[in-house]
Amino acid sequence: VAIFASLADKLQETFKKLRGKGKLTEADVTAAMREIRLALLEADVNFKVVKDFINRVKERAVGQEVMQSLTPGQQVVKIVHEELTALMGGSESKINWAAQPPTIVMLVGLQGAGKTTTAAKLARLLQNQGRRPLLVAADVYRPAAIKQLQVLGEQLKVPVFSMGEGISPVDIARAAVEHARKYGNNPVILDTAGRLHINETMMAELVAIKRAVDPHEILLVVDAMTGQDAVQVASNFNQQLGLTGVILTKLDGDTRGGAALSVRAVTGCPIKFIGMGEKTDALETFHPDRLASRILG
Ligand code: GDP
């Protein structure tokens, strides 16, 4: 992943030194931790997240078993890998399917984060798993969004439910769920309206939709390229809406990957999917261990 290239380079250099040492002293570990700390900060990982991470790794790394093992350097690398995986949520987080279909997945996020594109990508991914999703155009403030979703739905042969622009998104959401019940669509994927910045009108509207249809998933679509802003946005949405997860988009970009490494730790919300490109097949289930491996080599 391009955004982690620089971080990966730096960590791998540190690991090479560690592995080459044979026996490790506490000073060796301290020096390595300093390098890892700097590399993470340069990758734009949240300051407090870095601090806690380094403390955890260090506590384990200077332990008797590690220092006296035959391959202490290797052990430290393993600990970094485990802690990095844990930081990003440990294991993969699945969609919370409703016992009684349809499962309602509400996508929220700021304008431009990639919500509409992600709605289509998610529909495609779930369709490939044998589901019969319904896309719902509830972004009534950006007329182009409805058209955009219809075009994408047509490409994917996924039905798109829309009622035009003059209708309240709450009514659209309710009617869409009815429609899905009647025609056996599952899940219902709601593409809601964003704004350029978080504001009360947007939040009030999202809360109203949430109350009306009681979604099983409220997933925040957030642009990883915005770095620490992404983390702030996630915290804010989570406080006001109670998110069940996050979808990070634009991880194919060339910015630093701090958001991906901080969102889970700061908000407690699992990253469920990652967007890796503009095309509709560019959405992946998020595997913390795999990303840790990609970063650590
Ligand atoms: P919305 O306003 O949140 O609905 O955002 P859109 O779905 O219209 O997406 C905004 C822009 O981001 C579009 O040009 C998308 O093609 C682009 N985009 C969305 N997801 C990704 C991604 O994962 N990678 C890249 N490179 N671009 C993306």
Side-chain angles (χ1 to χ4, degrees):
V1 192
I3 60 171
F4 292 114
S6 159
L7 175 63
D9 280 352
K10 289 193 186 113
L11 294 181
Q12 280 161 30
E13 208 172 293
T14 302
F15 290 167
K16 207 153 73 189
K17 279 188 237 162
L18 277 177
R19 287 196 186 99
K21 282 246 175 201
K23 277 255 164 280
L24 289 184
T25 64
E26 195 165 332
D28 292 331
V29 174
T30 303
M33 289 309 123
R34 195 178 306 125
E35 288 178 15
I36 294 174
R37 181 174 165 275
L38 270 179
L40 289 170
L41 289 173
E42 275 170 31
D44 198 31
V45 181
N46 176 282
F47 170 79
K48 183 157 185 312
V49 170
V50 174
K51 194 168 159 217
D52 293 346
F53 175 80
I54 294 296
N55 285 342
R56 273 196 305 277
V57 174
K58 197 165 171 193
E59 200 169 290
R60 289 180 62 190
V62 296
Q64 292 289 325
E65 299 144 70
V66 173
M67 304 293 272
Q68 282 167 15
S69 74
L70 288 173
T71 54
Q74 199 59 42
Q75 299 293 329
V76 174
V77 173
K78 185 162 165 267
I79 292 170
V80 173
H81 191 290
E82 285 170 8
E83 290 294 337
L84 194 61
T85 304
L87 182 73
M88 293 188 284
S91 54
E92 159 194 345
S93 302
K94 300 223 162 72
I95 290 220
N96 174 29
W97 293 101
Q100 195 84 305
T103 298
I104 301 167
V105 179
M106 177 175 170
L107 298 184
V108 301
L110 296 180
Q111 204 171 304
K115 220 175 326 91
T116 303
T117 316
T118 301
K121 288 178 180 177
L122 185 61
R124 174 167 176 171
L125 190 134
L126 296 173
Q127 189 183 41
N128 285 341
Q129 295 172 6
R131 307 272 174 180
R132 295 184 56 217
L134 178 68
L135 283 165
V136 183
D139 181 352
V140 290
Y141 302 105
R142 195 164 66 90
I146 299 177
K147 186 75 202 156
Q148 188 185 345
L149 199 62
Q150 282 167 340
V151 169
L152 289 167
E154 224 160 90
Q155 278 171 20
L156 302 176
K157 304 203 163 33
V158 170
V160 176
F161 185 93
S162 81
M163 295 168 77
E165 293 158 42
I167 314 283
S168 102
V170 171
D171 292 339
I172 296 174
R174 276 209 194 94
V177 172
E178 262 326 295
H179 179 98
R181 262 196 202 110
K182 195 161 153 201
Y183 294 98
N185 294 107
N186 186 32
V188 175
I189 301 173
L190 300 172
D191 180 25
T192 63
R195 303 287 194 282
L196 285 176
H197 305 282
I198 290 176
N199 72 34
E200 280 175 33
T201 324
M202 171 183 69
M203 281 299 174
E205 184 179 293
L206 296 175
V207 168
I209 298 173
K210 175 184 174 177
R211 288 212 182 105
V213 297
D214 196 12
H216 306 90
E217 290 279 1
I218 303 180
L219 301 177
L220 173 72
V221 178
V222 65
D223 180 346
M225 300 225 286
T226 59
Q228 288 312 300
D229 277 352
V231 179
Q232 284 313 310
V233 167
S235 293
N236 198 317
F237 269 86
N238 188 38
Q239 275 161 22
Q240 305 204 46
L241 273 178
L243 301 173
T244 60
V246 170
I247 301 180
L248 277 180
T249 60
K250 311 187 194 183
L251 271 178
D252 52 313
D254 58 2
T255 48
R256 302 168 296 165
L261 297 179
S262 314
V263 158
R264 169 64 196 245
V266 173
T267 66
C269 296
I271 300 171
K272 294 204 169 175
F273 299 96
I274 51 176
M276 300 291 294
E278 299 195 72
K279 300 228 174 76
T280 52
D281 63 354
L283 187 74
E284 300 175 9
T285 302
F286 180 63
H287 299 281
D289 52 335
R290 283 190 211 161
L291 187 54
S293 299
R294 283 195 213 169
I295 295 170
L296 301 180

